[in-house]
Amino acid sequence: MAARALDPVRILVVDDDPGDVLMIEEALATSDVDKVIDVVGDGQEAMEFLRREGRHTGAHRPDVILLDLNMPRMDGRQVLGEVKGDEDLRTIPIVVLTTSNADTDIISSYTLQANAYVTKPIDLDDFNDVVHRIDEFFGRVVVLPKQRP
């Protein structure tokens, strides 16, 4: 398994829907993967968090980002472009977790170098299962890049 036994996986959830955020947090809380969850409500705040700007000067670099596509101020596509175009941030894996199953959104997300594209299931049990699988994969299976100081 991945060599992350000592450090919790840091997950940044970027989603403007409080209901979806709550469901993601609850699903993550029920798994036994050691993790720290940070939440921001839109893409602009996500970039401030990632660049440690404004009220996020003390933010910790996430190991993985769960990113919604359709948000105000700066949407998920713009965040993908910014993160993957930034030398210091591009190695952070990004999972697009969104309600859209439109081919154009899927293709544009992968074109912008998303690491995975997952459609949010409507059914609560299915939603929990999907989030658990993402958590298990990034928390136990993959080797994540070491964070730079």
Side-chain angles (χ1 to χ4, degrees), residues 7-124:
D7 297 326
V9 175
R10 298 196 75 91
I11 300 171
L12 176 62
V13 176
V14 184
D15 199 316
D16 67 319
D17 184 319
D20 284 353
V21 169
L22 181 61
M23 288 191 308
I24 292 167
E25 288 178 316
E26 287 178 351
L28 290 172
T30 61
S31 84
D32 61 354
V33 174
D34 191 20
K35 72 188 75 59
V36 175
I37 304 165
D38 292 299
V39 177
V40 294
D42 63 51
Q44 185 173 324
E45 188 179 1
M47 294 313 303
E48 290 169 4
F49 184 97
L50 292 167
R51 292 181 174 143
R52 297 178 178 113
E53 297 172 345
R55 65 186 177 129
H56 297 290
T57 56
H60 292 276
R61 179 186 172 97
D63 295 306
V64 65
I65 299 169
L66 300 183
L67 178 66
D68 188 27
L69 283 186
N70 300 310
M71 297 177 291
R73 297 200 305 163
M74 177 184 233
D75 71 16
R77 295 161 204 81
Q78 293 169 301
V79 172
L80 269 169
E82 292 269 332
V83 171
K84 296 304 182 176
D86 187 309
E87 183 73 29
D88 293 327
L89 302 174
R90 70 173 44 138
T91 59
I92 302 171
I94 298 178
V95 176
V96 173
L97 182 61
T98 188
T99 55
S100 173
N101 61 1
D103 287 341
T104 54
D105 286 336
I106 296 166
I107 291 167
S108 69
S109 294
Y110 282 117
T111 299
L112 291 167
Q113 301 177 353
N115 297 86
Y117 190 101
V118 179
T119 303
K120 294 176 184 173
I122 306 258
D123 179 79
L124 182 59

